[in-house]
Amino acid sequence: MSLPAPTPDALAASQSLQQLIAAEIEELGGAMAFSRFMELALYAPRLGYYSGGASKLGASGDFTTAPEISPLFGAALARVAAHIIAQSAPDIIEFGAGTGKLARGVLAALDRMGVAVSSYTIIELSGELRARQQEALKDLPQVRWLDGMPEQFSGVVLANEVLDAMPVELVIRQDGQWMRQMVTVRDGAFAFVAAPLPPELAAQVARQVPDAGQLPDGYLTEIHPVAEGFMASLAAMMKAGRGAAILLDYGFPAHEYYLDQRMGGTLMCHYRHHAHPDPFYLPGLQDITAHVDFTAMALASQEAGLPVLAYMNQASFLLGAGIGELLMESDPEQALDFLPQSRAVQKLVSPAEMGELFKVLVVGQDVELLDAIVRADRAHRL
């Protein structure tokens, strides 16, 4: 691959992480689950991608998220949040708040609508991003940070591109059997080696992958036990209260995720705005993600007691939330202001950009969503 060269300090940090991972592989007898490799690559203290000091978002980072593209994304979310808050509580939790732009955008839009927010809690695993958020949001007294979920919560939960960064298990079909992809060290480099599935993962493959026994040999895909556990924890936090959680991410329902032709799975890495498929490239310096199986997420929430309220693509959600009306609040005659916002909204809603690939899952209870969101619901496709 032809990718930008890291700085000497960044390369040294990656080499330290590689040594840490290799040492753990040796302690485990020569192989570790890919989910553990991904966990260390992303979250190892001081060395993992989200735990280290490298810039993650924007022009100097590795990828750009919707709140970075346009403030209208946060303003549209605020319209949905205001409707939920009116039926529940004036409190918001955001998981993985990035640079803080979504938090600022949502709070500013709610303030313009006359909706007072008592608390805006950010749960952030990245120390570097938390520091950026605290600097960016220091003038907003209702914003606070927690290390984990509260026991109970009523109000609105936001999670934009959170599920895709949770460690996944890789499984591969070999000789008519599903095997687990493990990570070993071979000739001084990380490499995959297949091992039998433990019973709990075999049961999850059977439950999560439609027609799992009919897929061809060589078929590689992901299963998502960590993300499912997150959904169960989210349900436990919310099921005693009133409110809704809005989860936005790229992915598919199960019947689209595990297509015969998707032989290589969806795992993807992002380094300096370059996307590539090699998870072993410079561990700690690149993001590693997988598309979200929204059917599995919906079932995990339901089985833990929190119903699904809606599911749709991002375009339908944002249009239902009124992003088009928000755009028209800018004067089309003022081209320098209007045209950049128009192009940004086009990127967010176009099927060729983020509008179709990104989906929105809303789970919650004892609240109703905006009528336009309800009309766009496609939960029957999960």
Side-chain angles (χ1 to χ4, degrees):
M1 293 182 296
S2 178
L3 296 173
T7 66
D9 286 347
L11 182 59
S14 178
Q15 290 169 341
S16 294
L17 179 57
Q18 292 175 56
Q19 292 168 4
L20 183 151
I21 294 172
E24 183 167 323
I25 288 174
E26 186 175 1
E27 291 174 6
L28 292 170
M32 69 165 52
F34 178 77
S35 58
R36 176 59 176 164
F37 174 89
M38 185 171 171
E39 178 185 0
L40 290 171
L42 296 180
Y43 302 109
R46 298 179 303 280
L47 296 174
Y49 180 76
Y50 285 108
S51 305
S55 178
K56 315 293 186 294
L57 301 166
S60 64
D62 302 308
F63 54 90
T64 301
T65 62
E68 309 290 319
I69 293 171
S70 171
L72 298 183
F73 178 81
L77 272 177
R79 286 188 165 198
V80 181
H83 193 69
I84 297 167
I85 285 171
Q87 304 167 71
S88 55
D91 299 300
I92 298 174
I93 290 177
E94 184 183 357
F95 288 93
T99 62
K101 282 192 176 181
L102 181 59
R104 179 170 290 281
V106 167
L107 287 170
L110 289 171
D111 184 64
R112 291 192 296 271
M113 287 186 278
V115 179
V117 174
S118 298
S119 67
Y120 193 110
T121 301
I122 294 174
I123 299 175
E124 178 61 68
L125 296 180
S126 168
E128 181 263 334
L129 288 175
R130 179 186 285 212
R132 291 179 67 181
Q133 294 157 14
Q134 289 172 336
E135 177 62 26
L137 304 172
K138 61 185 178 183
D139 59 322
L140 298 174
Q142 65 271 61
V143 180
R144 60 175 186 155
W145 284 260
L146 290 179
D147 294 325
M149 294 185 190
E151 290 187 6
Q152 296 183 352
F153 179 73
S154 289
V156 179
V157 174
L158 302 175
N160 181 57
E161 293 197 52
V162 170
L163 294 171
D164 67 86
M166 294 185 179
V168 297
E169 293 282 355
L170 291 182
V171 293
I172 189 169
R173 189 91 167 149
Q174 291 185 352
D175 299 323
Q177 302 293 322
W178 285 101
M179 304 287 283
R180 185 187 201 181
Q181 286 285 67
M182 308 287 285
V183 179
T184 189
V185 177
R186 185 181 303 135
D187 298 326
F190 296 123
F192 282 119
V193 60
L197 284 180
E200 66 274 12
L201 288 185
Q204 188 161 5
V205 169
R207 182 176 69 250
Q208 185 171 324
V209 182
D211 302 319
Q214 306 304 314
L215 290 168
D217 278 357
Y219 192 96
L220 175 74
T221 193
E222 308 88 22
I223 54 175
H224 307 76
V226 176
E228 290 184 61
F230 171 81
M231 294 301 299
S233 297
L234 187 65
M237 179 185 76
M238 298 189 70
K239 67 182 182 182
R242 296 168 64 94
I246 305 168
L247 303 108
L248 306 98
D249 227 311
Y250 46 89
F252 312 100
H255 68 275
E256 296 177 14
Y257 198 111
Y258 306 102
L259 295 174
D260 286 0
Q261 58 266 41
R262 208 183 301 281
M263 286 286 294
T266 72
L267 196 78
M268 188 57 60
C269 305
H270 300 273
Y271 175 69
R272 306 274 293 276
H273 290 277
H274 291 72
H276 67 90
D278 182 5
F280 301 144
Y281 180 79
L282 295 178
L285 302 188
Q286 65 172 358
D287 194 16
I288 306 174
T289 73
H291 285 51
V292 176
D293 176 348
F294 279 99
T295 302
M297 300 306 108
L299 289 173
S301 181
Q302 285 186 167
E303 290 170 1
L306 193 66
V308 171
L309 300 182
Y311 167 78
M312 65 203 67
N313 63 27
Q314 179 171 285
S316 297
F317 179 84
L318 291 177
L319 292 170
I323 198 169
E325 299 163 20
L326 291 166
L327 173 62
M328 294 312 297
E329 291 177 3
S330 300
D331 185 354
E333 297 298 323
Q334 301 295 320
L336 289 178
D337 294 328
F338 181 79
L339 290 179
Q341 287 300 331
S342 178
R343 286 193 292 266
V345 170
Q346 176 73 6
K347 184 175 180 65
L348 292 171
V349 303
S350 169
E353 298 274 0
M354 299 173 69
E356 177 58 36
L357 178 60
F358 278 70
K359 309 298 194 305
V360 183
L361 177 67
V362 186
V363 297
Q365 64 182 4
D366 297 330
V367 294
E368 295 181 356
L369 302 177
L370 290 168
D371 288 345
I373 300 293
V374 173
R375 289 194 296 271
D377 179 32
R378 297 293 182 269
H380 63 275
R381 297 188 61 194
L382 285 167

